[in-house]
Amino acid sequence: MSTTSQKHRDFVAEPMGDKHVTALSGIGEVLGKKLEEQGFDKAYVVLGQFLVLRKDELFIEWLKDTCGANSKQASSCYTCLKEWCDSFL
Amino acid sequence: MAAAQLTDEELLSELKRLGFIPGPVTESTRPVYLKKLKKLREEQPQQQRGSLGTRASKSRNSNTAAGAAGSGARPARSDVTHLSAGRSPGSCPALSPKSSGRAGKLLLGFSSDESDAEINQNKGGLVHRSGRRERGSGHHFQQHRPTATSGSRSQGGGVSSNTSKPFNSSALPDGKTGGGGAWWGPKGKSATGVHHLMHTERGVYGEKEEEEEEEEDDYDEEDRERGNPTLNGNSASCASSRQLAGDYSDSDEEEEDNPGKERHIGRRLGPRRSLSKSVLSVNKSARGMDSGQEGTGGGVIIINDKAAAESLDIARDQEGEKKDRGGFGIGSGLRNRSSCRSESWLLSTAMGEGTADSSANNHVSSNNGGGGVSSATKARYSSYNSVASPATASLSPRSNHSNHTGSNHAYSRTGPTKKLPETEEELLQQFRRDEVSSTGRFSAHYLSMFLLTAACLFFVLLGLTYLGMRGHGGAEADVVIRSHPFGSDFDAQYEDEEKSQILNILLRLHDHLAQIAGEHDCGYHFHENRSLSVQEASELLIISNCSYKEKVSTALEWILKSGEDVGIRLIGSDPKEEVNQVSDIKYLESTHPNMSFICRFQRAFVTVINRILIFLIGIGIVWGVLWYMKYRWRKEEEETRQMYDMVEKIIDALKSHNEACQESKDLQPYLPIPHVRDSLVQPQARKKMKKVWDRAVNFLATNESRIRTETQRLGGADFLVWRWTQPSSPCDKISIMPSKVWQGKAFPLDKRNSPPNSLTPCLKIRNMFDPVMEVGEDWHLAIHEAILEKCSDNDGIVHIAVDKNSREGCVYVKCLSAEYAGKAFKALHGSWFDGKLVTVKYLRLDRYHQRFPLALSCNTPLKASNTHMNTMSHLRLRTGTVNSQGRS
């Protein structure tokens, strides 16, 4: 558990509700802005994309392409969503 | 391949044909899938040969690891990656021990969650590395994985340069390698087929990578699990050191990982032993362990470095490689530190190899001969240069890789490698600092001791010298015959010879007297008294020198004349009287006693001790006073608090009485004070609380405006009564949001968000409170109550501990057995308490006992002390039972 960040833990601990996309682990201000521009303003929208990609690691590629995240951020987000899905989906 | 002209359906079918199961192709996913298609197509030709093998091995891997067999390379990978990357809470059905271990996402050992932050910093680098390895650059590995795993199996004991065929044919029985292999396997599919060329070296790599996978598997586990880098004094192999690292880690751990690990380790040690030799023989740049016995760990580290090197090769970032390798070396070195004492060597060799490697990046040499191992290991420790040549061997395959994988991994390269150098740097620095401190510590320790003793010695000597000076001071003056206190008259009056005689007389006299006085003072009573009579003195002097006879009186005369203290005091028959005449002199006494060394030392010592004692006593008194004051202050606070509690209780009682009166008119609107007291205070406590009660009454009389004190006649006796005078207002009727209540469940518990069976008897419950918001001393008891009430059907809770300082609101609970803990888990996990969502994890029993040794002896189930079940009031409401106006 020690490789997960506080953000990750906070996100995964409860249903995401209406959280902003910056609540995702790995997504900060800058990336959040970029995702918003693309229409992904809420965490659940990104979740939708994650699910459409079948919860696959392809999501990481997608995230990198969409908002220019680096590998670490993208995989952190991926892990975060994955764990969230495992708990709540 | 005109990707732009593909329709969605074509894209889908192409991907399916290549064995990849894509999701819906929408506008957002289209580019992603296109990229994927491109990658797959490029991989295809290389994968021709290996594809079958990879498929088969992958399927095997998947089977063993994630249970999603062959078809879903992707799904398998995703399962496995989430196994590795994030612990999935057991959603994978067929679990290898490892993955089942990971399944318990909620199983974790203690982490003081605050320390997680530190862990993250430390682990940042590790995470980067593992993440990077895992994802972006890992494509390299992917090639290796499937082959490696099978290769390792086939190569039970020896090095062999295998082709892919034995890889394909050998089975992968073990979950561990399967797990590792599966992890990488699906990736291998998507990665470009670099490495059919590598087959020859594959043998070399096979073991290494197998070890690497395992290393990485466990590595990641450890990353997650371990708190701070653990320095175990464990000289066993890497595996056991890993386990121990797990033991010592303070962070959350998975419960099952340990049994998983043990099995894992057991299996691993088997092949490892045989592998180690082959690894060593093959792999010169064994960065880790030095000798054969520690070769296992060494092999591991080597592999890590290699893997790092490989992946970095892609980037051709020499800088990054260097650092990365160093980092890996450190990372694994961290873990394997225990098994290798020469950590500094490790580091230096790591760094050295890094440099060597990067320099020999493009140099292909097949340097697979075994001879250099031991020499390499020695060389490693001695110089970088010698390492360079063995290192080149390891580079040879890597350069091949780089040739093949040039185009494929653009997206994976730059980011991670840029990141890595920084994190590795940090770790490096940390490492260096640690080392310096560890080596320096010894000398520092001795140095401080030395300085201390030197200082003490100095002061002692100083004191003694001082005393010695005092003792001899008088004598010194007289020793030099020429300098005397008698003034120039003396010089003028006598000739030299007489002068010297007189002075000698005096000197002798002085010494003798000093000695006597000294002895006397020290307690050796050789003479009856301190002074010497004139006759005795004269006799003594005459004995020593006959010519002194007539000079004695003159000498004494001169002493009288001088009036200074020459060290001899002249005493007459009456000690009080001044002596003016020589004839009056009866006794001679020394004013500068000459005490023996020991005597002086003793007296000095005693004096010092006395002074110290006085000082300490002074300090003690001051401290005592302070402590007393603190004590009094605390007591006062306590009493005041009690008083306020009492006041509140009284107010509540009066209020409720007032309300009761409103409803039924036959009650008196006032309450006698003694009655209130008796109803609020238990009989046992009445005497104790008397003071508090009186204060409360006074407080109410002076400060509370809603209560009036009056005298009423009740039942024939006069009573002081209280009357509640505030007219009831609507705001009172509004029930305040009760603070600590259970408020229902957030989500149903099923196998996805809770472990399939209860694993340990100890639980860690999070998010029960916010330490910042809590006031008072006993709020933790309310938490205890709440937990007991929630688990009221569960008789198995024996110990509850509230961690008052934890940011996350942690409460630790121990139950009689694992099934009770499971029941408690079901009752607590996912419930809302006080507006917060409570989560529960399992903890290891031994760690729990380490932290709460009191819990070792707890065996009696705890019961909620309050039968009203106040914390469940809202739940009762929900279920329709009568609510008694919430909790006031």
Side-chain angles (χ1 to χ4, degrees):
Chain A
M1 185 73 168
S2 50
T3 53
T4 56
S5 67
Q6 187 60 38
K7 232 179 157 190
H8 180 293
R9 287 196 289 270
D10 290 340
F11 190 81
V12 171
E14 54 183 358
M16 68 170 77
D18 232 9
K19 286 186 185 166
H20 196 263
V21 71
T22 46
L24 283 165
S25 164
I27 308 292
E29 294 277 342
V30 174
L31 292 180
K33 274 253 156 358
K34 293 195 189 160
L35 281 171
E36 261 191 73
E37 287 162 15
Q38 306 262 337
F40 299 89
D41 59 337
K42 292 283 181 186
Y44 58 74
V45 188
V46 180
L47 173 71
Q49 185 64 22
F50 175 73
L51 296 174
V52 161
L53 289 169
R54 301 177 65 86
K55 300 199 226 168
D56 193 77
E57 288 213 349
L58 215 44
F59 174 76
I60 296 181
E61 319 300 341
W62 174 83
L63 195 59
K64 285 177 177 174
D65 292 338
T66 312
C67 65
N70 61 29
S71 281
K72 174 180 157 296
Q73 292 164 325
S75 22
S76 166
C77 185
Y78 168 81
T79 321
C80 177
L81 281 172
K82 192 151 198 68
E83 272 196 45
W84 190 92
C85 285
D86 294 333
S87 299
F88 297 106
L89 215 50
Chain B
M1 171 194 83
Q5 293 144 15
L6 281 176
T7 65
D8 289 346
E9 292 83 17
E10 284 170 10
L11 186 55
L12 269 176
S13 54
E14 273 288 296
L15 286 167
K16 282 196 188 136
R17 195 171 58 77
L18 291 167
F20 171 67
I21 297 194
V25 180
T26 69
E27 41 181 87
S28 55
T29 61
R30 203 184 154 80
V32 185
Y33 285 135
L34 283 173
K35 254 203 315 196
K36 185 112 203 102
L37 187 63
K38 241 189 279 195
K39 238 191 332 174
L40 288 173
R41 284 204 177 146
E42 276 157 20
E43 277 175 23
Q44 252 186 348
Q46 284 113 6
Q47 265 197 349
Q48 281 307 325
R49 270 198 269 160
S51 65
L52 290 176
T54 52
R55 290 263 175 103
S57 57
K58 250 179 313 196
S59 58
R60 258 173 287 134
N61 295 342
S62 333
N63 276 332
T64 53
S71 67
R74 265 299 143 106
R77 179 181 92 165
S78 55
D79 281 342
V80 178
T81 41
H82 87 220
L83 276 187
S84 58
R87 274 144 312 151
S88 73
S91 58
C92 309
L95 300 170
S96 67
K98 217 172 177 124
S99 38
S100 64
R102 293 193 221 241
K105 155 189 162 189
L106 301 165
L107 294 188
L108 295 170
F110 280 99
S111 77
S112 75
D113 295 290
E114 288 75 11
S115 70
D116 279 358
E118 304 152 19
I119 295 164
N120 280 338
Q121 290 160 16
N122 287 345
K123 292 293 175 104
L126 300 175
V127 174
H128 293 318
R129 258 177 286 133
S130 56
R132 187 194 53 74
R133 244 187 304 162
E134 186 182 352
R135 296 187 187 90
S137 49
H139 293 285
H140 248 307
F141 305 158
Q142 301 149 13
Q143 281 35 300
H144 293 247
R145 287 306 151 275
T147 56
T149 54
S150 42
S152 62
R153 283 292 131 254
S154 64
Q155 290 169 19
V159 184
S160 57
S161 52
N162 294 320
T163 63
S164 55
K165 296 200 193 71
F167 292 36
N168 301 337
S169 56
S170 58
L172 290 170
D174 290 295
K176 72 169 158 83
T177 49
W183 189 14
W184 297 110
K187 275 199 188 167
K189 181 180 199 294
S190 60
T192 60
V194 181
H195 312 280
H196 56 284
L197 279 193
M198 297 309 123
H199 290 328
T200 52
E201 289 94 354
R202 201 76 64 102
V204 165
Y205 270 89
E207 302 123 11
K208 291 178 232 143
E209 272 140 32
E210 182 237 322
E211 306 206 26
E212 178 179 21
E213 299 157 20
E214 299 178 15
E215 189 63 34
E216 288 173 356
D217 283 351
D218 298 349
Y219 199 72
D220 278 326
E221 255 179 48
E222 298 245 16
D223 290 349
R224 277 189 295 276
E225 294 162 5
R226 202 161 18 113
N228 302 307
T230 55
L231 307 171
N232 309 328
N234 179 18
S235 63
S237 72
C238 181
S240 41
S241 76
R242 196 180 327 118
Q243 181 180 21
L244 273 176
D247 286 341
Y248 284 114
S249 82
D250 193 27
S251 65
D252 296 340
E253 290 178 289
E254 296 179 356
E255 172 66 24
E256 264 201 30
D257 269 344
N258 278 336
K261 257 192 245 175
E262 278 151 15
R263 267 172 283 165
H264 189 81
I265 289 161
R267 260 177 285 136
R268 194 190 171 131
L269 284 175
R272 198 170 259 278
R273 291 269 177 266
S274 51
L275 276 176
S276 66
K277 308 238 173 34
S278 49
V279 170
L280 280 180
S281 64
V282 171
N283 188 355
K284 276 10 130 357
S285 61
R287 206 174 307 176
M289 309 311 128
D290 51 358
S291 61
Q293 40 144 352
E294 295 170 335
T296 57
V300 170
I301 295 185
I302 298 166
I303 285 170
N304 271 340
D305 301 335
K306 280 234 175 54
E310 289 156 28
S311 57
L312 289 172
D313 259 338
I314 303 167
R316 286 202 188 98
D317 183 0
Q318 305 213 344
E319 174 88 22
E321 276 183 29
K322 226 187 306 193
K323 295 223 180 97
D324 211 39
R325 223 162 296 132
F328 273 106
I330 295 164
S332 36
L334 275 176
R335 264 190 298 152
N336 297 305
R337 209 177 197 180
S338 55
S339 48
C340 183
R341 296 296 301 166
S342 53
E343 298 123 3
S344 54
W345 295 116
L346 261 180
L347 246 195
S348 58
T349 52
M351 291 312 291
E353 279 182 58
T355 48
D357 283 349
S358 52
S359 61
N361 193 8
N362 295 318
H363 171 57
V364 181
S365 66
S366 58
N367 207 356
N368 286 340
V373 181
S374 48
S375 64
T377 55
K378 301 269 185 328
R380 209 185 320 147
Y381 292 96
S382 51
S383 73
Y384 299 164
N385 292 332
S386 54
V387 169
S389 49
T392 60
S394 62
L395 290 173
S396 55
R398 243 174 301 141
S399 48
N400 289 340
H401 294 221
S402 52
N403 293 338
H404 293 278
T405 60
S407 57
N408 294 325
H409 312 290
Y411 56 88
S412 61
R413 282 181 230 162
T414 51
T417 52
K418 293 286 188 313
K419 268 253 169 20
L420 282 161
E422 293 141 18
T423 55
E424 312 311 2
E425 270 305 311
E426 293 164 14
L427 274 172
L428 260 177
Q429 280 158 12
Q430 221 181 21
F431 221 60
R432 282 208 199 99
R433 252 182 278 126
D434 285 343
E435 287 174 16
V436 166
S437 63
S438 65
T439 53
R441 215 176 297 133
F442 282 121
S443 53
H445 179 67
Y446 288 132
L447 188 67
S448 62
M449 287 277 291
F450 171 69
L451 278 175
L452 195 63
T453 48
C456 287
L457 217 59
F458 171 69
F459 282 119
V460 166
L461 281 171
L462 197 62
L464 291 175
T465 326
Y466 169 68
L467 287 169
M469 288 297 294
R470 271 203 83 240
H472 280 298
E476 301 300 341
D478 289 344
V479 167
V480 180
I481 301 293
R482 293 292 162 240
S483 68
H484 54 80
F486 294 141
S488 51
D489 294 346
F490 185 75
D491 286 334
Q493 205 165 356
Y494 297 101
E495 297 160 5
D496 276 348
E497 201 189 296
E498 290 174 351
K499 256 199 285 186
S500 62
Q501 274 195 343
I502 292 173
L503 289 172
N504 280 337
I505 289 171
L506 285 171
L507 190 63
R508 291 252 178 137
L509 206 56
H510 178 272
D511 286 343
H512 190 69
L513 285 172
Q515 199 187 357
I516 289 173
E519 284 169 0
H520 189 88
D521 285 341
C522 279
Y524 311 130
H525 294 281
F526 296 138
H527 305 259
E528 299 86 31
N529 47 12
R530 212 164 171 257
S531 50
L532 202 59
S533 68
V534 180
Q535 286 84 5
E536 285 173 15
S538 316
E539 280 164 23
L540 258 167
L541 288 168
I542 287 158
I543 287 167
S544 56
N545 193 339
C546 296
S547 63
Y548 283 171
K549 188 172 179 176
E550 61 267 10
K551 298 291 190 283
V552 174
S553 48
T554 37
L556 293 174
E557 226 178 80
W558 275 105
I559 293 175
L560 270 174
K561 275 193 206 165
S562 76
E564 297 166 10
D565 182 14
V566 298
I568 299 174
R569 196 170 70 206
L570 307 166
I571 304 174
S573 44
D574 185 0
K576 297 288 185 289
E577 232 176 67
E578 283 283 331
V579 173
N580 295 322
Q581 296 285 331
V582 178
S583 50
D584 285 345
I585 299 172
K586 288 282 185 282
Y587 295 105
L588 300 167
E589 197 171 314
S590 169
T591 51
H592 296 156
N594 181 17
M595 295 181 266
S596 67
F597 179 75
I598 292 174
C599 188
R600 262 183 286 138
F601 183 74
Q602 277 176 348
R603 285 162 74 99
F605 186 69
V606 166
T607 324
V608 166
I609 294 282
N610 287 338
R611 290 208 193 110
I612 286 177
L613 270 175
I614 290 167
F615 182 63
L616 285 176
I617 286 170
I619 287 186
I621 288 172
V622 169
W623 180 76
V625 165
L626 281 173
W627 177 82
Y628 180 69
M629 277 170 48
K630 248 203 311 187
Y631 168 74
R632 285 304 320 238
W633 183 74
R634 224 178 333 122
K635 269 213 90 188
E636 281 228 18
E637 263 213 355
E638 176 73 23
E639 279 181 9
T640 317
R641 196 187 53 80
Q642 275 182 336
M643 186 204 69
Y644 284 125
D645 280 348
M646 187 63 69
V647 165
E648 274 175 26
K649 278 194 233 169
I650 293 169
I651 290 176
D652 290 339
L654 283 174
K655 234 194 263 186
S656 54
H657 180 76
N658 187 35
E659 275 149 13
C661 284
Q662 302 283 340
E663 287 152 25
S664 74
K665 289 297 172 190
D666 43 342
L667 281 177
Q668 302 288 350
Y670 44 76
L671 277 177
I673 294 179
H675 291 193
V676 175
R677 182 198 68 200
D678 293 338
S679 62
L680 287 178
V681 180
Q682 300 286 340
Q684 306 92 302
R686 268 177 218 165
K687 223 170 176 190
K688 267 192 302 177
M689 301 292 273
K690 180 164 169 41
K691 190 159 172 241
V692 177
W693 177 260
D694 291 338
R695 281 181 73 185
V697 173
N698 288 338
F699 182 84
L700 281 176
T702 52
N703 293 13
E704 179 63 53
S705 59
R706 295 173 290 182
I707 296 178
R708 196 167 66 209
T709 314
E710 48 191 40
T711 321
Q712 292 281 351
R713 185 168 270 261
L714 278 174
D718 282 331
F719 280 105
L720 268 177
V721 299
W722 276 323
R723 184 194 288 270
W724 183 259
T725 54
Q726 184 188 34
S728 60
S729 52
C731 66
D732 279 351
K733 288 272 165 64
I734 297 169
S735 62
I736 310 154
M737 186 68 185
S739 57
K740 294 206 181 300
V741 285
W742 293 98
Q743 292 154 331
K745 262 190 149 18
F747 46 84
L749 289 175
D750 62 5
K751 63 180 170 82
R752 273 178 314 187
N753 50 28
S754 57
N757 55 326
S758 53
L759 299 147
T760 71
C762 304
L763 301 173
K764 174 180 180 180
I765 306 167
R766 271 199 183 146
N767 217 12
M768 291 276 305
F769 57 89
D770 187 350
V772 174
M773 300 286 296
E774 299 294 343
V775 292
E777 292 271 326
D778 296 329
W779 53 267
H780 63 283
L781 296 177
I783 305 280
H784 283 232
E785 278 301 301
I787 291 180
L788 287 169
E789 284 172 11
K790 194 74 167 55
C791 306
S792 52
D793 57 338
N794 179 355
D795 286 341
I797 297 179
V798 296
H799 177 260
I800 302 179
V802 172
D803 186 358
K804 286 194 178 187
N805 299 322
S806 82
R807 247 182 7 220
E808 288 202 359
C810 294
V811 181
Y812 299 91
V813 170
K814 181 184 169 193
C815 301
L816 277 176
S817 75
E819 37 168 312
Y820 285 113
K823 275 172 64 179
F825 185 96
K826 288 195 178 52
L828 294 168
H829 183 59
S831 306
W832 292 98
F833 179 72
D834 198 14
K836 297 193 264 285
L837 186 62
V838 171
T839 56
V840 185
K841 293 190 282 216
Y842 287 100
L843 297 175
R844 282 173 44 190
L845 185 61
D846 50 354
R847 303 301 307 286
Y848 193 93
H849 284 154
Q850 262 175 31
R851 180 149 177 192
F852 301 108
L854 297 170
L856 269 167
S857 52
C858 289
N859 281 321
T860 52
L862 300 170
K863 283 247 164 253
S865 59
N866 186 349
T867 51
H868 296 312
M869 301 278 262
N870 287 330
T871 61
M872 306 277 282
S873 57
H874 270 202
L875 297 177
R876 280 204 301 263
L877 238 187
R878 290 231 190 116
T879 57
T881 55
V882 175
N883 181 19
S884 62
Q885 211 164 29
R887 191 167 177 265
S888 60

